[in-house]
Amino acid sequence: MAGAGRSLAILLVAAWTLTACTEQPVAPATPIRLEAAYQLLFNDSLVGNALFSLSIDKTGRYRIEAFTSPAGRIAGQAGNEVLELSTGTIDSASIRPQRFEHSVMQGDEYRQVHLEFDWKPRQLRVSTTDAVQTLTLRPDTQDRLSYLVAASRLVGAEPGALQELPLATLEATEPVVLQVIGRQTTEVPFGTYEATGIRRVSLQGDAEREMWFADGLGPLPIRMVRRSDNNTVEMRLETLDRPMAQPVPD
């Protein structure tokens, strides 16, 4: 863990240097609406399905929803159903979440965590069934859904490019660096595409996370991977309601 902390500190300095020297013009957001379905696999075995929807209107207001349910070998068992929601505003320079909800349903049990982003006083309020706490809201902080769209903005950057992205988790704000891996041909049930990989580097050094974004398919990844303790959890795009790119020819 100490080695992971030192590596992250070096990446944070490099990311700050990169972003501090780069100014992006602010432009209106491009309206978009996407609905995507993913297979959720554990060590290549189907264990769930995930449905994502993303909409951005002409004023820059966005809404992202994700619903995950058990499937495959654990379908019909008492598995968790997870519903997540992120709303906020977006333009060419920034993504600002306003509200994030994380709900878990298991049988008759229901648990929810609610995050509120108050940007003027820079406060992040975390509410659960039992308690409410207020944390300092760092600039450019994202939630577990909006950070996917933020990561997609690194597509086209050179391999090795970095961006610091504070991530509001269910317990605290975690310093995260996104690092461009590069491009490679990526196969998912929806097709085979040229995609750009983005690595998520954090203090949680026990897990490796990657996201892969295909050219022309919008800001949702076609593949997400988490490797930990010799196990792999993976999401692979199965359907998309607005395909805008052609698969790589066989």
Side-chain angles (χ1 to χ4, degrees):
M1 184 66 71
R6 286 193 296 270
S7 297
L8 178 61
I10 294 172
L11 288 172
L12 284 170
V13 172
W16 182 87
T17 302
L18 177 65
T19 55
C21 297
T22 304
E23 294 185 0
Q24 293 180 306
V26 176
T30 301
I32 190 173
R33 184 174 182 85
L34 297 172
E35 293 184 356
Y38 296 83
Q39 296 176 343
L40 178 61
L41 303 102
F42 178 76
N43 293 337
D44 291 325
S45 294
L46 180 68
V47 294
N49 292 314
L51 300 175
F52 278 65
S53 67
L54 164 65
S55 62
I56 304 172
D57 68 18
K58 63 182 180 181
T59 68
R61 292 178 300 181
Y62 78 81
R63 181 184 181 92
I64 311 171
E65 294 181 84
F67 177 69
T68 305
S69 59
R73 67 184 185 184
I74 64 172
Q77 301 179 18
N80 291 341
E81 293 183 335
V82 180
L83 177 64
E84 294 182 302
L85 167 68
S86 173
T87 60
T89 58
I90 182 172
D91 57 34
S92 65
S94 64
I95 301 171
R96 283 197 163 187
Q98 294 176 345
R99 180 166 59 102
F100 176 78
E101 295 178 1
H102 176 91
S103 306
V104 179
M105 295 156 281
Q106 185 173 23
D108 295 332
E109 296 184 10
Y110 177 80
R111 303 186 304 275
Q112 185 179 65
V113 178
H114 186 188
L115 307 182
E116 291 184 35
F117 296 75
D118 196 343
W119 291 97
K120 287 186 178 180
R122 292 193 175 181
Q123 293 182 340
L124 175 65
R125 286 185 289 275
V126 182
S127 305
T128 66
T129 305
D130 304 318
V132 177
Q133 61 175 321
T134 301
L135 307 173
T136 299
L137 182 56
R138 297 178 57 194
D140 299 323
T141 297
Q142 303 298 315
D143 60 52
R144 286 156 49 105
L145 293 179
S146 65
Y147 100 93
L148 298 175
V149 180
S152 73
R153 294 185 164 192
L154 286 174
V155 172
E158 292 295 323
L162 304 169
Q163 179 184 2
E164 181 185 359
L165 193 73
L167 181 61
T169 67
L170 304 183
E171 295 84 19
T173 299
E174 175 187 352
V176 166
V177 167
L178 301 179
Q179 183 178 37
V180 178
I181 299 171
R183 292 172 57 81
Q184 72 177 37
T185 302
T186 303
E187 183 178 359
V188 294
F190 190 63
T192 302
Y193 297 88
E194 291 300 318
T196 299
I198 309 294
R199 179 179 294 111
R200 173 179 152 185
V201 183
S202 71
L203 288 175
Q204 305 300 322
D206 58 337
E208 298 178 6
R209 295 177 175 87
E210 296 175 0
M211 299 160 280
W212 293 87
F213 297 89
D215 297 346
L217 287 187
L220 292 178
I222 64 170
R223 182 172 178 250
M224 289 178 275
V225 185
R226 182 182 186 275
R227 302 181 182 91
S228 178
D229 297 329
N230 296 319
N231 292 313
T232 301
V233 178
E234 186 172 359
M235 291 177 62
R236 300 174 184 170
L237 182 65
E238 189 171 26
T239 65
L240 183 69
D241 77 334
R242 189 184 164 192
M244 295 174 288
Q246 296 297 319
V248 175
D250 294 334

